Amino acid sequence: MDQKDIELMLKRPFKADEIEWRISRAGKKGDGKLWATCLAYVSNRAIMNRLDEVFGVGGWKNEYVAWKGDSQLCGISAKFDGEWIAKWDGAGDTDFESIKGGLSDSMKRAAVQWGIGRYLYNLDETFAAVSETGKFYQAANEKKGIPSFKWNPPALPSWALPPDDTEEEKFQKTMKLIDEATSVKDCELVRRKLGEKNPFSEEKLKAVYMKIDTKVSELLSAPAAVEETDGK
């Protein structure tokens, strides 16, 4: 991959279930009903998965250093052409699980330096749906006289979600996957998945199956495969 491909992969929007939300403000209306606004952010688990996907499990690392009292810096480094490139950002301790929360927030900020989840800054502060049947729970704020409540986050706009792959994109990815297969088992796994769920037209499906058959023949005729067969 060249740097442009890496940049696009890092900045690619996350799926809705990879996004987490937190209440930013809450209060009471004139009629006593509660209102709340919320902000979206990417979980650290999603960040780590994205870094694994782009750089490989051994192609990135993170580290922390203390910074200005109750704050810490997180540096995320990635390997480019054998050289480690680092980007840093920091955050203070949080009110809940202060040190752990501060470390987590500093990693999220460092990830933004790499473009991961940066698009979420374009989202406006959005109203949450306060409801007794809400999915999430917000603890009471006794100082401000706000009782605990349940709430649901808003739906993300289409621009903040990954685009669905077109049939042609899925076709090209599948053909590339077959090209890169290193065993007959890999090829048969592709064939099995197509049998379970086929996203292609009849013409494209036929081309994929022909590609699989050709690749299997190549693998079976390779020296390593011949030696293994002779050994049996």
Side-chain angles (χ1 to χ4, degrees):
M1 290 188 295
D2 60 24
Q3 289 200 16
K4 187 62 178 177
D5 290 332
I6 291 173
E7 180 183 356
L8 290 173
M9 291 183 68
L10 288 170
K11 291 183 175 180
R12 182 179 173 87
F14 289 88
K15 296 178 181 179
D17 60 5
E18 294 176 304
I19 298 298
E20 297 186 358
W21 298 81
R22 65 175 177 83
I23 295 296
S24 52
R25 296 185 299 144
K28 288 184 179 180
K29 301 177 183 179
D31 58 6
K33 291 183 179 179
L34 294 175
W35 62 267
T37 58
C38 57
L39 295 171
Y41 64 93
V42 182
S43 70
N44 276 26
R45 183 178 291 106
I47 291 170
M48 290 186 283
N49 288 340
R50 177 62 56 86
L51 290 167
D52 284 348
E53 176 187 356
V54 177
F55 298 113
V57 293
W60 70 276
K61 59 184 179 181
N62 61 350
E63 54 187 312
Y64 298 91
V65 296
W67 178 60
K68 292 185 179 181
D70 296 331
S71 302
Q72 44 276 314
L73 292 172
C74 175
I76 296 178
S77 304
K79 190 178 287 186
F80 286 89
D81 298 324
E83 180 181 356
W84 287 99
I85 306 297
K87 298 193 178 188
W88 293 79
D89 210 327
D93 290 347
T94 58
D95 294 334
F96 179 72
E97 294 187 324
S98 58
I99 296 176
K100 180 181 177 182
L103 294 174
S104 177
D105 283 354
S106 63
M107 183 172 176
K108 290 182 178 72
R109 290 175 178 269
V112 171
Q113 298 290 334
W114 283 98
I116 300 173
R118 190 183 296 168
Y119 68 97
L120 293 174
Y121 283 94
N122 295 323
L123 284 173
D124 295 327
E125 187 179 40
T126 311
F127 280 98
V130 178
S131 168
E132 293 181 356
T133 59
K135 179 180 178 181
F136 299 106
Y137 173 83
Q138 180 68 18
N141 186 330
E142 295 180 358
K143 291 182 179 180
K144 295 184 178 181
I146 307 298
S148 62
F149 59 90
K150 292 183 178 181
W151 60 282
N152 288 314
L156 288 165
S158 58
W159 61 262
L161 293 169
D164 291 332
D165 289 338
T166 64
E167 183 188 21
E168 181 61 28
E169 288 171 331
K170 291 178 181 177
F171 176 72
Q172 294 299 333
K173 287 180 180 179
T174 302
M175 297 297 266
K176 182 180 179 182
L177 187 64
I178 298 168
D179 270 331
E180 296 174 348
T182 58
S183 69
V184 174
K185 184 178 179 180
D186 291 339
C187 294
E188 293 305 326
L189 180 60
V190 175
R191 194 195 303 272
R192 190 182 74 191
K193 287 185 176 180
L194 286 172
E196 294 172 352
K197 185 177 181 181
N198 170 37
F200 303 127
S201 63
E202 184 177 348
E203 181 181 358
K204 279 186 167 57
L205 183 62
K206 183 178 180 181
V208 170
Y209 281 144
M210 288 179 64
K211 183 78 171 179
I212 292 174
D213 291 339
T214 301
K215 186 66 176 182
V216 168
S217 296
E218 291 176 0
L219 290 168
L220 289 175
S221 62
V226 173
E227 292 173 6
E228 184 180 348
T229 302
D230 291 344
K232 292 180 180 179

